Amino acid sequence: MIPVRGFDGQTVAVLGLGRSGLTAARALRDGGAHVRAWDDGAGGREAAEAEGFELRDLTRPGALDDAVTLVTSPGIPHLYPVPHTAIAAAWAAGVPVDNDIGLFFQSLGHDDIPPKVVAITGSNGKSTTSALLHHILIRAGKRAHLAGNIGRGVLDLDPPGEDDVIVLELSSYQTELARSLTPDIAVFTNLTPDHLDRHGGMGGYFAAKRRLFSEGGPDRAVIGTDEVEGAFLANQLAEAPGDDRVIRVTTAKPSGAGWQVSHRKGWLAEHRKARQIASVDLRTVAGLPGAHNHQNAACAWAAARALGLAPRDIEAALNDYPGLPHRSQRIAERDGVVFVNDSKATNVDAAAKALAAFPRIRWIAGGLMKEGGLDGLRPHLGNVVRAYVIGREAAGFAVALGPGVETEICTDMATAVARAAEDAQAGETVLLAPAAASFDQYDSFERRGEDFAARVAELP
């Protein structure tokens, strides 16, 4: 555990006692702080009380009177749609509000020679990019750690050494509130609509992501520039056309004197000062199928190069990357039919990228539709032979797909897998890419993906 420094003998309030909140409470206590904890759920309170933390309802008058900071968990709204009562009370009392990511960077600032930190954010691909970069570093013999929105809570890591590299996946919920954000390398994969109610629209969502690059200023930034927000961000960070502190990741042809990693038609190419440094055929990399994963590979490549790794070492690691569970994960092949679990494709954009990765698809989709509906999927349904729709509102989901795709209402995963496997022919892919949240039938996208894998394993 990384002890949180700077609060010795002071009272710090912790709101939300899930994975990140309870870990933050422990790390604060290890650093000498007195922790006052609260969770709106009885389970969180019981877990904290069992570890000896003081419990006090932080929504009550006077609960924050002697607190120097309020640390809140990422899932608790602090601005939109409505601030949590305890957070509003902290504002009124003048108590700074922070989260575990801010505490982590603040604590690293006390080290004489801190480890290298790579922080990765974006709408889609940040989990795969983070896991892939971690894999590349380990393969190259580096002492690397994966944490944040993936793997372990960041403060749960063992205290790192000066030669270590910490790879953090950061969501907009985490970057929006952290009071200290000082990675050595920051990565922006892309931006598509998501969490808009939490951020008050696209502008607020982008602003939350942008803070990773503006609060402390990374030494180097890797920016996906195919969306207008990424192009804007790269332009804001670069001080000259050839400023190689900004590495642009794009599908565009190489241009200019800057540092660029492109991914086009299955090939990755690195250019610097108008000269090609390396190229890799990604079409043979089994763990990274499709153009969206090629973007992830390009972002991880750029970050690894910024850390000083050689192209040959990165290429070797790409070729044996096993893939991340529930993200374009190839789980089986039966009689020439491939079964792919992309349960993490919970929004329209992620599902569209998955649908573009395979030529003939038996598509399992459905669940809780997100704001905006499914209109954005219609241009990407050309590879779908038939859709097998699951979810409590499966019929409504099928109607929302429109007349452009043949559908079969299955409702549950067992029926969908059985019917898709029965219909599929050699050369086709049975793809779970729901384009919807899982909470109508499962408590997480992971449980949904595990159910898919289990049903595939049960096929005769």
Side-chain angles (χ1 to χ4, degrees):
M1 178 161 289
I2 299 174
V4 174
R5 303 175 188 176
F7 298 103
D8 190 21
Q10 299 176 301
T11 296
V12 177
V14 176
L15 176 66
L17 299 168
R19 184 190 71 158
S20 66
L22 197 54
T23 300
R26 296 175 187 133
L28 283 158
R29 183 166 62 185
D30 283 1
H34 171 69
V35 175
R36 179 173 300 150
W38 184 253
D39 193 291
D40 292 335
R45 297 195 297 269
E46 290 168 4
E49 190 171 34
E51 296 192 29
F53 290 107
E54 176 197 350
L55 292 178
R56 190 184 301 185
D57 186 345
L58 299 178
T59 67
R60 297 290 182 88
L64 295 169
D65 282 353
D66 57 344
V68 295
T69 294
L70 171 65
V71 176
T72 183
S73 294
I76 297 174
H78 61 270
L79 188 56
Y80 302 114
V82 178
H84 189 279
T85 304
I87 293 175
W91 296 347
V95 176
V97 180
D98 205 347
N99 62 17
D100 63 327
I101 302 301
L103 296 180
F104 164 77
F105 281 110
Q106 176 187 322
S107 296
L108 286 190
H110 290 263
D111 294 338
D112 292 333
I113 307 178
K116 293 286 186 184
V117 179
V118 182
I120 299 168
T121 195
S123 297
N124 298 305
K126 58 184 179 293
S127 294
T128 295
T129 301
S130 300
L132 177 57
L133 177 60
H134 179 254
H135 172 77
I136 292 167
L137 291 166
I138 294 295
R139 255 309 239 106
K142 303 293 184 181
R143 183 175 161 86
H145 314 270
L146 183 63
N149 203 44
I150 186 174
R152 301 168 69 180
V154 64
L155 293 171
D156 195 39
L157 294 174
D158 295 332
E162 63 183 76
D163 295 325
D164 291 10
V165 181
I166 297 175
V167 180
L168 297 182
E169 179 199 334
L170 298 182
S171 72
S172 57
Y173 292 8
Q174 293 167 311
T175 58
E176 184 177 40
L177 195 60
R179 298 177 71 87
S180 180
L181 283 169
T182 54
D184 298 278
I185 300 168
V187 180
F188 178 89
T189 60
N190 51 55
L191 197 79
T192 58
D194 207 359
H195 310 303
L196 301 189
D197 57 338
R198 172 66 181 259
H199 298 296
M202 268 306 270
Y205 181 42
F206 177 51
K209 300 286 191 185
R210 187 177 182 273
R211 290 189 75 250
L212 181 61
F213 303 84
S214 60
E215 289 304 297
D219 294 336
R220 193 156 256 139
V222 175
I223 310 291
T225 57
D226 285 343
E227 289 85 29
V228 65
E229 293 87 357
F232 167 81
L233 181 57
N235 183 268
Q236 288 280 295
L237 295 172
E239 295 185 0
D243 187 352
D244 67 2
R245 292 174 302 169
V246 178
I247 308 176
R248 290 169 171 83
V249 172
T250 179
T251 56
K253 292 182 179 180
S255 62
W259 196 347
Q260 180 176 313
V261 179
S262 62
H263 52 102
R264 291 169 50 81
K265 299 180 181 179
W267 284 86
L268 180 152
E270 178 186 353
H271 286 77
R272 193 170 184 182
K273 297 179 180 178
R275 185 170 67 90
Q276 182 169 300
I277 305 296
S279 67
V280 178
D281 186 354
L282 296 174
R283 296 170 298 179
T284 61
V285 179
L288 295 164
H292 62 304
N293 275 314
H294 296 169
Q295 184 195 45
N296 300 333
C299 287
W301 177 286
R305 293 286 287 135
L307 288 167
L309 272 65
R312 64 180 179 276
D313 294 330
I314 305 172
E315 182 177 1
L318 291 178
N319 281 307
D320 63 13
Y321 175 64
L324 200 59
H326 315 296
R327 284 96 166 165
S328 296
Q329 179 190 16
R330 181 172 171 152
I331 60 171
E333 182 175 348
R334 303 166 63 92
D335 301 323
V337 177
V338 175
F339 294 79
V340 175
N341 168 19
D342 203 344
S343 184
K344 183 63 170 63
T346 59
N347 61 41
V348 164
D349 186 72
K353 288 179 168 62
L355 292 173
F358 308 97
R360 287 181 58 82
I361 298 169
R362 302 285 174 173
W363 179 33
I364 299 176
L368 273 180
M369 278 193 290
K370 292 191 173 181
E371 184 180 350
L374 302 177
D375 288 350
L377 268 178
R378 289 182 187 143
H380 306 281
L381 299 176
N383 293 345
V384 176
V385 179
R386 176 180 286 182
Y388 304 80
V389 185
I390 62 173
R392 293 180 185 170
E393 303 297 330
F397 192 97
V399 170
L401 284 174
V405 60
E406 184 180 333
T407 60
E408 182 173 333
I409 308 301
C410 297
T411 306
D412 61 85
M413 186 69 74
T415 302
V417 170
R419 291 291 301 120
E422 182 180 337
D423 292 345
Q425 301 176 16
E428 295 182 342
T429 299
V430 175
L431 170 68
L432 172 66
S438 61
F439 302 119
D440 59 334
Q441 292 182 311
Y442 303 93
D443 61 8
S444 68
F445 72 84
E446 291 95 342
R447 300 291 86 76
R448 178 171 58 191
E450 290 163 3
D451 190 22
F452 172 72
R455 301 302 180 180
V456 171
E458 292 170 357
L459 288 172

